Every structure is written in C-alpha cells, then in structure tokens.
Amino acid sequence: MAGNSQRRGATRKAGTKKGAKVGTGGHGRKSLEGKGPTPKAEERTYHKAYKKPVSAEKSATSGRPSSGSSRSASGSRGGRGSSTHEIVSGRNSVVEALRAGIPVSTVYLASKLEADDRTREIISAAGNEGYPLLEVSRAELDRLTDGSVHQGVAIQVPPYAYADDEDLLDIAESLGQAPLIVALDGVTDPRNLGAVLRSAGAFGAHGVLVPERRAAGVTASAWKVSAGAAARVPVARVTNLTRTLQAYKQAGAFVVGLDGGGDVAIADLPYATDPLVLVVGSEGKGLSRLVREQCDAIASIPIASAVESLNAGVAAGIALYEVSRQRA
C-alpha cells in the first residue's frame, strides 16, 4: 500500500429649553463645600489600586506568584494561548526548559535542597539569565505544584505559545526532510499529550497537532511527562482538525490513522517515507468519523486480546518508531 506519489452603536429632545430653577437662597451652601480634594485611588485603602501593589509585595516576600500568574488549565506559552502562567516542576523538566531557552518568570528552590549536577545547572542558568530565584519551603512548593513530585525545584514560565499548523510543514522544509506530524483526535489527558511529545522528540517528528476544543493542551502535566520535549517539539492548535488534515493533504501529505480495527498492520505502515501525518485517537472512542474519512489508510497495532487498547502515548511511540525505522 506504500506510495511515493506527490500531493500537495440619550439624546435630549430638540427644541426644548431648560427653564430657570428656584434657588436655595444659600441655605444649601454648606453642603456644597465638600470635604476637600478627592484622594488618589492609590491612597484609598479600600480601592483595588491600593490593594494591588500591597498584594504583589506580599507575594514577592512569600515567594508566591501574584494573582494572574497562577497555573493555567489550558497551559499556553503566549500568543494564541491562555494569559496565565504555568508551573513546571521536577529537575529534568526544569533543566530541559532552561536549556531550550524558554523564558522564565521565577525559579523556585526548596530550602536545604540537596545539590546535584542538575540543581547546580539550574542555579547557574538562573544567575546567568538574571531570573528571579526564590528559596521557599517544601510545603510552599507542594502548593505551587498542586502536590506533584517536584524534587525541590520548580519554575514559573510564561503562557505556552502555540505554533500555526503551517509552521510544522515549514520546519520540515527548512530541514530538507519529508514532514512527519502527529495529530491527536479527542485526546483529553495532558499526560498523554506529554507522552506523545516525548515520543515525537525521540523519533524526529516535526510537531504535534491538537484541536482547540475537547482536547488536551500544553499544561504543567504535559510539560512534566514530556521530560522537556515540550520545549523542543512545537504544538499547533487548530479550530477544526478535519479541515487542517484536508489542507495538509492538499499540500502533499498522506494521512494515516491508528486504530485497532485498521486494515494494515503497523509493521507494514504505508507512506512512511512520504510527507506523513499520523492521527492518534482517544483511548476510549478511537478516531472520530470525520477524521477517519480523511485517512488514506488505517493502521493497527497487534496486541494481546486481554488488553482492550493502548493509550495515545504508547500508540504514537510505536508508530513513530516504525516510521523512523523505514526512513532510516
């Protein structure tokens, strides 16, 4: 089935005039004298303009991110994502993010942290780049990371900046390689997205494509599982996955879906050496009907009957390995 073919907006009534009003005779003069000039907003203790810098000062003293800089449910890195920040925790994830040059708002280190090569590199990078470095208690780190395993280290990064779908093709072209893109259809667990990113980075994929709705985004959980691959593998977020797949096909790519009821075994994966989009469905529902209709082939991964299905990260890893093997 393998092929080498090329695809490419009170007004007052007019005419009326206010008549003269009867005066107070000066009896209300005292009440008109007022209480002096109105104090500035920043001087009124009940006003939010007064409270904001006070809150920010307390946050900086305690090492806590101020309001508007908390973890994001959608997790983005600027641009087309959320306006809030993300907390990335764990020594490997933090080191990889720093090595990739991801902008950092704050570096958090646990008090009395046992140093190793990774923590020394983190401290050195924070010093070289001028990142704010705060020493906090482990209880505070637990709060910042929602109780995840942070290994005494965490960083606050700006919102994730999603790429455009066309960027993924441009990356491949700049490298002189046939595009290899992983598209996720209905994958809602950010940990699965993180696993897919890790596999994509390991096997040379040029990016990952996710829908804007009913799909996982690049959150702190995805960062953690990706082991830093989220810093190296671009993720594009699109409004309509089906239309994007159609556009990719018009640009010359083939689309292969992964499904247990596929018509070809993964070992015989077609179009591996051509411009290729691998589509991974959700663990429960698999590929949606509209997405399935865009596939040039459906490949299946043989598994034991006792196992109902593989999660998205595992399935993507196996398929990407096969593509890498054939391209080698």
Side-chain angles (χ1 to χ4, degrees):
M1 236 182 122
N4 293 314
S5 58
Q6 301 295 318
R7 302 196 176 193
R8 306 238 162 276
T11 60
R12 206 171 72 191
K13 291 183 179 179
T16 60
K17 182 177 179 182
K18 277 191 173 183
K21 287 189 176 181
V22 178
T24 62
H27 297 298
R29 183 175 301 158
K30 184 176 181 180
S31 62
L32 296 174
E33 291 178 355
K35 300 180 181 180
T38 302
K40 296 180 180 179
E42 295 82 356
E43 298 172 357
R44 288 175 267 169
T45 58
Y46 57 84
H47 198 281
K48 64 179 181 181
Y50 171 87
K51 296 179 180 179
K52 186 174 181 180
V54 173
S55 175
E57 183 178 350
K58 288 181 179 180
S59 298
T61 304
S62 65
R64 298 175 183 173
S66 60
S67 175
S69 298
S70 59
R71 287 174 301 280
S72 163
S74 61
S76 41
R77 208 172 40 179
R80 300 167 57 188
S82 169
S83 60
T84 53
H85 289 64
E86 272 288 333
I87 296 294
V88 177
S89 61
R91 299 186 184 187
N92 285 335
S93 299
V94 169
V95 166
E96 289 287 347
L98 292 172
R99 287 176 179 174
I102 298 301
V104 174
S105 303
T106 309
V107 177
Y108 299 97
L109 297 178
S111 303
K112 300 178 181 179
L113 179 67
E114 184 178 344
D116 63 7
D117 291 341
R118 293 169 297 176
T119 56
R120 283 189 284 268
E121 182 175 348
I122 292 168
I123 294 171
S124 175
N128 292 336
E129 299 296 333
Y131 297 143
L133 195 154
L134 296 178
E135 186 175 352
V136 297
S137 66
R138 287 192 173 270
E140 179 65 11
L141 267 179
D142 290 341
R143 188 192 68 80
L144 284 168
T145 61
D146 284 337
S148 66
V149 180
H150 50 69
Q151 300 174 303
V153 176
I155 57 174
Q156 184 184 75
V157 300
Y160 185 89
Y162 291 93
D164 290 324
D165 53 297
E166 294 180 355
D167 293 340
L168 308 187
L169 298 177
D170 292 341
I171 291 170
E173 183 179 1
S174 67
L175 296 172
Q177 300 172 352
L180 175 57
I181 298 167
V182 181
L184 303 184
D185 179 25
V187 175
T188 57
D189 190 338
R191 293 171 297 183
N192 270 332
L193 172 57
V196 170
L197 283 168
R198 191 168 186 172
S199 295
F203 295 113
H206 300 105
V208 174
L209 194 68
V210 298
E212 287 184 355
R213 295 186 175 185
R214 295 183 293 276
V218 185
T219 64
S221 295
W223 266 98
K224 179 79 174 179
V225 176
S226 77
R232 303 188 304 272
V233 180
V235 178
R237 216 172 192 181
V238 297
T239 304
N240 189 297
L241 180 59
T242 302
R243 284 204 298 263
T244 302
L245 293 177
Q246 291 173 344
Y248 278 177
K249 293 175 70 173
Q250 292 174 1
F254 291 89
V255 178
V256 175
L258 301 180
D259 191 273
D263 50 18
V264 61
I266 196 67
D268 299 318
L269 183 73
Y271 314 116
T273 59
D274 295 306
L276 178 64
V277 182
L278 286 172
V279 188
V280 184
S282 64
E283 185 174 348
K285 298 180 180 179
L287 298 172
S288 63
R289 179 182 60 83
L290 293 177
V291 167
R292 180 185 286 269
E293 291 175 354
Q294 298 303 317
C295 294
D296 297 296
I298 306 293
S300 62
I301 301 173
I303 57 177
S305 58
V307 181
E308 292 184 2
S309 63
L310 299 173
N311 67 36
V314 173
I318 293 173
L320 285 167
Y321 168 77
E322 179 59 29
V323 173
S324 176
R325 185 189 69 81
Q326 291 192 37
R327 291 191 173 191

